Amino acid sequence: MGTSLTPEFWRQFAVLLVIAMTVTFVLSAALDALYLRSRQRRAVRRASGTGTTGTTIRGPQRPSGRPLVKS
């Protein structure tokens, strides 16, 4: 004994499908924004030197230890 899929079923199915797609899109965009913000903060911290372990980023140096370019 089979049941037929009524127009009401398809209407509810379409509404739930649209809601699920919207939630997925919004959640994906929010998580992506949070991830990019955390990477940007990490990059700023490294550039300012507060997130490093005590080493500084320097340009190329001569064997004497003096820099090749004036900073």
Side-chain angles (χ1 to χ4, degrees):
M1 183 161 96
T3 60
S4 63
L5 300 176
T6 64
E8 181 183 353
F9 167 81
W10 288 113
R11 194 172 22 256
Q12 287 179 350
F13 175 77
V15 168
L16 290 175
L17 181 64
V18 169
I19 289 172
M21 289 171 50
T22 304
V23 167
T24 301
F25 177 77
V26 169
L27 189 61
S28 174
L31 290 175
D32 191 35
L34 286 173
Y35 176 73
L36 291 176
R37 183 181 295 175
S38 70
R39 288 199 54 184
Q40 185 179 14
R41 283 185 180 175
R42 196 173 299 142
V44 168
R45 245 187 258 154
R46 282 188 181 163
S48 67
T50 58
T52 60
T53 60
T55 59
T56 57
I57 300 172
R58 296 187 223 170
Q61 294 186 349
R62 295 186 180 119
S64 65
R66 293 188 346 214
L68 291 174
V69 291
K70 293 183 181 180
S71 48

